mmCIF file of all heavy atoms in Angstrom:
data_model
loop_
_atom_site.group_PDB
_atom_site.id
_atom_site.type_symbol
_atom_site.label_atom_id
_atom_site.label_comp_id
_atom_site.label_asym_id
_atom_site.label_seq_id
_atom_site.Cartn_x
_atom_site.Cartn_y
_atom_site.Cartn_z
ATOM 1 N N ASN A 343 -42.237 -113.981 -24.591
ATOM 2 C CA ASN A 343 -41.665 -115.279 -23.929
ATOM 3 C C ASN A 343 -40.929 -114.949 -22.709
ATOM 4 O O ASN A 343 -41.015 -115.726 -21.751
ATOM 5 C CB ASN A 343 -40.807 -116.012 -24.979
ATOM 6 C CG ASN A 343 -41.518 -116.905 -25.912
ATOM 7 O OD1 ASN A 343 -42.449 -117.711 -25.474
ATOM 8 N ND2 ASN A 343 -41.199 -116.963 -27.163
ATOM 9 N N VAL A 375 -44.856 -117.627 -29.439
ATOM 10 C CA VAL A 375 -44.915 -117.456 -28.048
ATOM 11 C C VAL A 375 -45.442 -118.910 -27.359
ATOM 12 O O VAL A 375 -46.460 -119.360 -27.792
ATOM 13 C CB VAL A 375 -45.934 -116.375 -27.673
ATOM 14 C CG1 VAL A 375 -46.260 -116.360 -26.139
ATOM 15 C CG2 VAL A 375 -45.387 -115.004 -28.064
ATOM 16 N N LEU A 376 -44.637 -119.321 -26.504
ATOM 17 C CA LEU A 376 -44.942 -120.674 -25.944
ATOM 18 C C LEU A 376 -46.276 -120.754 -25.418
ATOM 19 O O LEU A 376 -46.923 -121.823 -25.458
ATOM 20 C CB LEU A 376 -43.716 -121.000 -24.944
ATOM 21 C CG LEU A 376 -43.613 -122.354 -24.537
ATOM 22 C CD1 LEU A 376 -43.265 -123.273 -25.702
ATOM 23 C CD2 LEU A 376 -42.455 -122.456 -23.451
ATOM 24 N N THR A 377 -46.706 -119.741 -24.789
ATOM 25 C CA THR A 377 -48.018 -119.805 -23.980
ATOM 26 C C THR A 377 -49.196 -119.253 -24.833
ATOM 27 O O THR A 377 -50.203 -119.117 -24.173
ATOM 28 C CB THR A 377 -47.842 -118.945 -22.676
ATOM 29 O OG1 THR A 377 -47.599 -117.569 -23.148
ATOM 30 C CG2 THR A 377 -46.763 -119.390 -21.794
ATOM 31 N N ALA A 378 -48.932 -119.025 -26.119
ATOM 32 C CA ALA A 378 -50.035 -118.334 -27.010
ATOM 33 C C ALA A 378 -51.284 -119.237 -26.945
ATOM 34 O O ALA A 378 -52.431 -118.635 -26.956
ATOM 35 C CB ALA A 378 -49.567 -118.166 -28.447
ATOM 36 N N ALA A 379 -51.152 -120.600 -26.853
ATOM 37 C CA ALA A 379 -52.380 -121.389 -26.881
ATOM 38 C C ALA A 379 -53.361 -121.114 -25.717
ATOM 39 O O ALA A 379 -54.503 -121.375 -25.856
ATOM 40 C CB ALA A 379 -51.896 -122.798 -26.945
ATOM 41 N N TRP A 380 -52.782 -120.793 -24.611
ATOM 42 C CA TRP A 380 -53.592 -120.613 -23.313
ATOM 43 C C TRP A 380 -54.130 -119.245 -23.254
ATOM 44 O O TRP A 380 -55.213 -118.958 -22.654
ATOM 45 C CB TRP A 380 -52.800 -120.992 -22.101
ATOM 46 C CG TRP A 380 -52.570 -122.430 -22.123
ATOM 47 C CD1 TRP A 380 -53.357 -123.501 -21.734
ATOM 48 C CD2 TRP A 380 -51.372 -123.108 -22.629
ATOM 49 N NE1 TRP A 380 -52.791 -124.703 -21.970
ATOM 50 C CE2 TRP A 380 -51.498 -124.412 -22.434
ATOM 51 C CE3 TRP A 380 -50.158 -122.637 -23.113
ATOM 52 C CZ2 TRP A 380 -50.552 -125.336 -22.875
ATOM 53 C CZ3 TRP A 380 -49.208 -123.543 -23.498
ATOM 54 C CH2 TRP A 380 -49.438 -124.884 -23.394
ATOM 55 N N VAL B 167 -40.519 -127.847 -12.019
ATOM 56 C CA VAL B 167 -40.728 -128.600 -13.272
ATOM 57 C C VAL B 167 -40.317 -127.732 -14.462
ATOM 58 O O VAL B 167 -40.383 -126.505 -14.379
ATOM 59 C CB VAL B 167 -42.187 -128.908 -13.403
ATOM 60 C CG1 VAL B 167 -42.738 -129.866 -12.496
ATOM 61 C CG2 VAL B 167 -43.020 -127.657 -13.388
ATOM 62 N N PRO B 168 -39.877 -128.348 -15.524
ATOM 63 C CA PRO B 168 -39.325 -127.528 -16.677
ATOM 64 C C PRO B 168 -40.466 -127.220 -17.547
ATOM 65 O O PRO B 168 -40.534 -127.826 -18.646
ATOM 66 C CB PRO B 168 -38.309 -128.504 -17.253
ATOM 67 C CG PRO B 168 -38.884 -129.951 -16.935
ATOM 68 C CD PRO B 168 -39.504 -129.812 -15.694
ATOM 69 N N GLY B 169 -41.329 -126.399 -17.124
ATOM 70 C CA GLY B 169 -42.485 -126.063 -18.018
ATOM 71 C C GLY B 169 -43.237 -124.981 -17.467
ATOM 72 O O GLY B 169 -42.915 -124.254 -16.430
ATOM 73 N N LEU B 170 -44.392 -124.697 -18.065
ATOM 74 C CA LEU B 170 -45.316 -123.697 -17.751
ATOM 75 C C LEU B 170 -46.353 -124.324 -16.645
ATOM 76 O O LEU B 170 -47.043 -125.115 -16.870
ATOM 77 C CB LEU B 170 -46.117 -123.237 -18.888
ATOM 78 C CG LEU B 170 -45.384 -122.764 -20.133
ATOM 79 C CD1 LEU B 170 -46.230 -122.551 -21.248
ATOM 80 C CD2 LEU B 170 -44.670 -121.553 -19.756
ATOM 81 N N VAL B 171 -46.413 -123.572 -15.483
ATOM 82 C CA VAL B 171 -47.242 -124.007 -14.387
ATOM 83 C C VAL B 171 -48.435 -123.076 -14.399
ATOM 84 O O VAL B 171 -48.331 -121.864 -14.312
ATOM 85 C CB VAL B 171 -46.481 -124.030 -13.084
ATOM 86 C CG1 VAL B 171 -47.372 -124.500 -11.909
ATOM 87 C CG2 VAL B 171 -45.169 -124.840 -13.168
ATOM 88 N N GLY B 172 -49.635 -123.634 -14.395
ATOM 89 C CA GLY B 172 -50.855 -122.795 -14.304
ATOM 90 C C GLY B 172 -51.428 -122.771 -12.883
ATOM 91 O O GLY B 172 -50.740 -123.184 -11.912
ATOM 92 N N GLY B 175 -51.200 -125.431 -9.519
ATOM 93 C CA GLY B 175 -50.073 -126.349 -9.758
ATOM 94 C C GLY B 175 -50.191 -127.248 -11.005
ATOM 95 O O GLY B 175 -49.475 -128.186 -11.085
ATOM 96 N N MET B 176 -51.181 -126.990 -11.816
ATOM 97 C CA MET B 176 -51.365 -127.779 -13.041
ATOM 98 C C MET B 176 -50.296 -127.381 -14.050
ATOM 99 O O MET B 176 -49.963 -126.177 -14.401
ATOM 100 C CB MET B 176 -52.667 -127.301 -13.646
ATOM 101 C CG MET B 176 -53.023 -127.956 -14.995
ATOM 102 S SD MET B 176 -53.651 -129.666 -14.825
ATOM 103 C CE MET B 176 -55.278 -129.379 -14.417
ATOM 104 N N VAL B 177 -49.552 -128.406 -14.529
ATOM 105 C CA VAL B 177 -48.410 -128.238 -15.429
ATOM 106 C C VAL B 177 -49.073 -128.147 -16.867
ATOM 107 O O VAL B 177 -49.577 -129.108 -17.406
ATOM 108 C CB VAL B 177 -47.315 -129.251 -15.441
ATOM 109 C CG1 VAL B 177 -46.294 -129.003 -16.574
ATOM 110 C CG2 VAL B 177 -46.609 -129.179 -13.994
ATOM 111 N N ARG B 178 -49.166 -126.920 -17.355
ATOM 112 C CA ARG B 178 -49.768 -126.725 -18.821
ATOM 113 C C ARG B 178 -49.076 -127.333 -19.804
ATOM 114 O O ARG B 178 -49.569 -128.051 -20.688
ATOM 115 C CB ARG B 178 -49.902 -125.184 -19.008
ATOM 116 C CG ARG B 178 -50.913 -124.561 -18.104
ATOM 117 C CD ARG B 178 -52.259 -125.052 -18.275
ATOM 118 N NE ARG B 178 -53.229 -124.305 -17.791
ATOM 119 C CZ ARG B 178 -54.542 -124.568 -18.005
ATOM 120 N NH1 ARG B 178 -54.904 -125.628 -18.587
ATOM 121 N NH2 ARG B 178 -55.479 -123.774 -17.486
ATOM 122 N N LEU B 179 -47.719 -127.138 -19.821
ATOM 123 C CA LEU B 179 -46.822 -127.665 -20.968
ATOM 124 C C LEU B 179 -45.480 -127.713 -20.357
ATOM 125 O O LEU B 179 -44.916 -126.789 -19.825
ATOM 126 C CB LEU B 179 -46.878 -126.660 -22.054
ATOM 127 C CG LEU B 179 -46.023 -127.050 -23.330
ATOM 128 C CD1 LEU B 179 -46.588 -128.336 -23.952
ATOM 129 C CD2 LEU B 179 -45.955 -125.872 -24.272
ATOM 130 N N ALA B 180 -44.876 -128.935 -20.483
ATOM 131 C CA ALA B 180 -43.392 -129.177 -20.327
ATOM 132 C C ALA B 180 -42.919 -129.822 -21.631
ATOM 133 O O ALA B 180 -42.935 -131.133 -21.669
ATOM 134 C CB ALA B 180 -43.153 -129.954 -19.094
ATOM 135 N N PRO B 181 -42.568 -129.021 -22.572
ATOM 136 C CA PRO B 181 -42.324 -129.541 -23.930
ATOM 137 C C PRO B 181 -41.302 -130.623 -23.971
ATOM 138 O O PRO B 181 -41.610 -131.688 -24.640
ATOM 139 C CB PRO B 181 -42.025 -128.295 -24.767
ATOM 140 C CG PRO B 181 -41.835 -127.229 -23.907
ATOM 141 C CD PRO B 181 -42.351 -127.476 -22.537
ATOM 142 N N ASN B 182 -40.246 -130.494 -23.320
ATOM 143 C CA ASN B 182 -39.149 -131.476 -23.403
ATOM 144 C C ASN B 182 -39.394 -132.677 -22.547
ATOM 145 O O ASN B 182 -38.848 -133.810 -22.843
ATOM 146 C CB ASN B 182 -37.862 -130.800 -22.935
ATOM 147 C CG ASN B 182 -37.352 -129.775 -23.883
ATOM 148 O OD1 ASN B 182 -37.356 -130.002 -25.116
ATOM 149 N ND2 ASN B 182 -37.051 -128.643 -23.317
ATOM 150 N N LEU B 183 -40.455 -132.655 -21.699
ATOM 151 C CA LEU B 183 -40.825 -133.880 -20.954
ATOM 152 C C LEU B 183 -42.042 -134.511 -21.672
ATOM 153 O O LEU B 183 -42.400 -135.696 -21.496
ATOM 154 C CB LEU B 183 -41.240 -133.485 -19.542
ATOM 155 C CG LEU B 183 -40.385 -133.677 -18.399
ATOM 156 C CD1 LEU B 183 -41.061 -133.101 -17.027
ATOM 157 C CD2 LEU B 183 -39.860 -135.060 -18.189
ATOM 158 N N GLY B 184 -42.600 -133.743 -22.567
ATOM 159 C CA GLY B 184 -43.836 -134.157 -23.285
ATOM 160 C C GLY B 184 -45.069 -134.130 -22.411
ATOM 161 O O GLY B 184 -45.994 -134.882 -22.549
ATOM 162 N N TRP B 185 -45.091 -133.337 -21.426
ATOM 163 C CA TRP B 185 -46.255 -133.247 -20.459
ATOM 164 C C TRP B 185 -47.127 -132.052 -20.931
ATOM 165 O O TRP B 185 -46.703 -131.052 -21.390
ATOM 166 C CB TRP B 185 -45.722 -132.849 -19.074
ATOM 167 C CG TRP B 185 -45.117 -133.916 -18.270
ATOM 168 C CD1 TRP B 185 -44.591 -135.074 -18.869
ATOM 169 C CD2 TRP B 185 -44.856 -133.944 -16.872
ATOM 170 N NE1 TRP B 185 -44.021 -135.813 -17.818
ATOM 171 C CE2 TRP B 185 -44.184 -135.163 -16.630
ATOM 172 C CE3 TRP B 185 -45.171 -133.092 -15.827
ATOM 173 C CZ2 TRP B 185 -43.805 -135.513 -15.371
ATOM 174 C CZ3 TRP B 185 -44.743 -133.482 -14.580
ATOM 175 C CH2 TRP B 185 -44.152 -134.643 -14.393
ATOM 176 N N ARG B 186 -48.415 -132.308 -20.860
ATOM 177 C CA ARG B 186 -49.473 -131.290 -21.244
ATOM 178 C C ARG B 186 -50.529 -131.451 -20.236
ATOM 179 O O ARG B 186 -51.106 -132.611 -20.094
ATOM 180 C CB ARG B 186 -49.850 -131.533 -22.689
ATOM 181 C CG ARG B 186 -50.711 -130.424 -23.191
ATOM 182 C CD ARG B 186 -50.951 -130.700 -24.799
ATOM 183 N NE ARG B 186 -49.932 -130.064 -25.577
ATOM 184 C CZ ARG B 186 -49.963 -128.815 -25.961
ATOM 185 N NH1 ARG B 186 -50.974 -128.193 -25.764
ATOM 186 N NH2 ARG B 186 -48.949 -128.380 -26.729
ATOM 187 N N ASP B 187 -51.029 -130.363 -19.557
ATOM 188 C CA ASP B 187 -52.119 -130.422 -18.550
ATOM 189 C C ASP B 187 -52.038 -131.573 -17.646
ATOM 190 O O ASP B 187 -52.921 -132.412 -17.549
ATOM 191 C CB ASP B 187 -53.492 -130.458 -19.363
ATOM 192 C CG ASP B 187 -53.628 -129.259 -20.160
ATOM 193 O OD1 ASP B 187 -53.240 -128.171 -19.658
ATOM 194 O OD2 ASP B 187 -54.218 -129.249 -21.291
ATOM 195 N N VAL B 188 -50.911 -131.613 -16.912
ATOM 196 C CA VAL B 188 -50.704 -132.614 -15.820
ATOM 197 C C VAL B 188 -50.993 -132.006 -14.460
ATOM 198 O O VAL B 188 -50.467 -131.059 -14.037
ATOM 199 C CB VAL B 188 -49.261 -133.045 -15.855
ATOM 200 C CG1 VAL B 188 -48.856 -134.169 -14.748
ATOM 201 C CG2 VAL B 188 -48.917 -133.826 -17.253
ATOM 202 N N ASP B 189 -51.951 -132.694 -13.885
ATOM 203 C CA ASP B 189 -52.349 -132.256 -12.466
ATOM 204 C C ASP B 189 -51.356 -132.695 -11.491
ATOM 205 O O ASP B 189 -51.678 -133.728 -10.837
ATOM 206 C CB ASP B 189 -53.839 -132.732 -12.276
ATOM 207 C CG ASP B 189 -54.287 -132.366 -10.782
ATOM 208 O OD1 ASP B 189 -53.657 -131.561 -10.184
ATOM 209 O OD2 ASP B 189 -55.242 -132.870 -10.428
ATOM 210 N N VAL B 190 -50.320 -132.090 -11.290
ATOM 211 C CA VAL B 190 -49.246 -132.566 -10.498
ATOM 212 C C VAL B 190 -49.702 -132.706 -8.936
ATOM 213 O O VAL B 190 -49.471 -133.769 -8.318
ATOM 214 C CB VAL B 190 -48.043 -131.634 -10.441
ATOM 215 C CG1 VAL B 190 -46.932 -131.974 -9.374
ATOM 216 C CG2 VAL B 190 -47.401 -131.696 -11.807
ATOM 217 N N ASN B 213 -42.077 -123.198 -11.986
ATOM 218 C CA ASN B 213 -41.119 -123.387 -13.028
ATOM 219 C C ASN B 213 -39.661 -123.540 -12.462
ATOM 220 O O ASN B 213 -39.212 -122.765 -11.648
ATOM 221 C CB ASN B 213 -41.228 -122.185 -13.895
ATOM 222 C CG ASN B 213 -40.206 -122.296 -15.165
ATOM 223 O OD1 ASN B 213 -39.064 -121.703 -14.953
ATOM 224 N ND2 ASN B 213 -40.554 -122.815 -16.168
ATOM 225 N N GLU B 214 -38.893 -124.494 -13.004
ATOM 226 C CA GLU B 214 -37.606 -124.714 -12.472
ATOM 227 C C GLU B 214 -36.597 -123.659 -12.558
ATOM 228 O O GLU B 214 -35.822 -123.268 -11.756
ATOM 229 C CB GLU B 214 -36.976 -126.014 -13.042
ATOM 230 C CG GLU B 214 -36.698 -126.006 -14.511
ATOM 231 C CD GLU B 214 -35.323 -125.704 -14.768
ATOM 232 O OE1 GLU B 214 -34.467 -125.686 -13.924
ATOM 233 O OE2 GLU B 214 -35.019 -125.557 -15.984
ATOM 234 N N TRP B 259 -45.504 -117.031 -16.238
ATOM 235 C CA TRP B 259 -44.940 -117.860 -17.282
ATOM 236 C C TRP B 259 -43.811 -117.045 -17.982
ATOM 237 O O TRP B 259 -43.481 -117.096 -19.195
ATOM 238 C CB TRP B 259 -45.967 -118.066 -18.376
ATOM 239 C CG TRP B 259 -47.041 -119.105 -17.939
ATOM 240 C CD1 TRP B 259 -46.946 -119.843 -16.861
ATOM 241 C CD2 TRP B 259 -48.253 -119.374 -18.522
ATOM 242 N NE1 TRP B 259 -48.152 -120.571 -16.762
ATOM 243 C CE2 TRP B 259 -49.003 -120.240 -17.719
ATOM 244 C CE3 TRP B 259 -49.038 -118.662 -19.599
ATOM 245 C CZ2 TRP B 259 -50.236 -120.749 -17.966
ATOM 246 C CZ3 TRP B 259 -50.340 -119.178 -19.871
ATOM 247 C CH2 TRP B 259 -50.899 -120.150 -19.086
ATOM 248 N N GLU B 262 -39.120 -117.615 -20.521
ATOM 249 C CA GLU B 262 -38.939 -118.607 -21.574
ATOM 250 C C GLU B 262 -37.965 -118.158 -22.571
ATOM 251 O O GLU B 262 -38.262 -118.014 -23.803
ATOM 252 C CB GLU B 262 -40.297 -119.051 -22.243
ATOM 253 C CG GLU B 262 -41.220 -119.620 -21.208
ATOM 254 C CD GLU B 262 -40.821 -120.997 -20.828
ATOM 255 O OE1 GLU B 262 -39.891 -121.563 -21.455
ATOM 256 O OE2 GLU B 262 -41.269 -121.554 -19.733
ATOM 257 N N HIS B 265 -37.096 -119.892 -26.002
ATOM 258 C CA HIS B 265 -37.881 -119.714 -27.205
ATOM 259 C C HIS B 265 -37.823 -118.263 -27.786
ATOM 260 O O HIS B 265 -38.699 -117.935 -28.632
ATOM 261 C CB HIS B 265 -39.350 -120.135 -26.927
ATOM 262 C CG HIS B 265 -39.318 -121.573 -26.505
ATOM 263 N ND1 HIS B 265 -39.269 -122.558 -27.512
ATOM 264 C CD2 HIS B 265 -39.245 -122.207 -25.283
ATOM 265 C CE1 HIS B 265 -39.130 -123.855 -26.882
ATOM 266 N NE2 HIS B 265 -39.117 -123.536 -25.535
ATOM 267 N N ARG B 276 -39.498 -127.690 -31.258
ATOM 268 C CA ARG B 276 -40.580 -128.584 -30.716
ATOM 269 C C ARG B 276 -41.856 -127.657 -30.338
ATOM 270 O O ARG B 276 -42.952 -128.153 -30.302
ATOM 271 C CB ARG B 276 -40.129 -129.148 -29.422
ATOM 272 C CG ARG B 276 -40.084 -130.550 -29.346
ATOM 273 C CD ARG B 276 -39.408 -131.017 -28.027
ATOM 274 N NE ARG B 276 -38.042 -130.648 -28.059
ATOM 275 C CZ ARG B 276 -37.077 -131.455 -27.709
ATOM 276 N NH1 ARG B 276 -37.235 -132.627 -27.292
ATOM 277 N NH2 ARG B 276 -35.786 -131.153 -27.754
ATOM 278 N N CYS B 277 -41.581 -126.284 -30.086
ATOM 279 C CA CYS B 277 -42.661 -125.467 -29.556
ATOM 280 C C CYS B 277 -43.618 -125.049 -30.671
ATOM 281 O O CYS B 277 -44.642 -124.509 -30.510
ATOM 282 C CB CYS B 277 -42.095 -124.247 -28.883
ATOM 283 S SG CYS B 277 -41.414 -122.937 -30.054
ATOM 284 N N GLY B 278 -43.157 -125.376 -31.973
ATOM 285 C CA GLY B 278 -43.969 -124.892 -33.077
ATOM 286 C C GLY B 278 -43.405 -123.654 -33.755
ATOM 287 O O GLY B 278 -43.769 -123.323 -34.916
#
Side-chain angles (χ1 to χ4, degrees):
Chain A
N343 273 319
V375 170
L376 197 59
T377 60
W380 292 278
Chain B
V167 293
L170 304 171
V171 182
M176 177 80 80
V177 175
R178 291 303 200 170
L179 179 70
N182 292 310
L183 268 174
W185 288 16
R186 190 174 272 270
D187 294 325
V188 174
D189 177 12
V190 172
N213 177 271
E214 63 96 12
W259 295 342
E262 292 296 342
H265 299 282
R276 237 173 295 225
C277 75

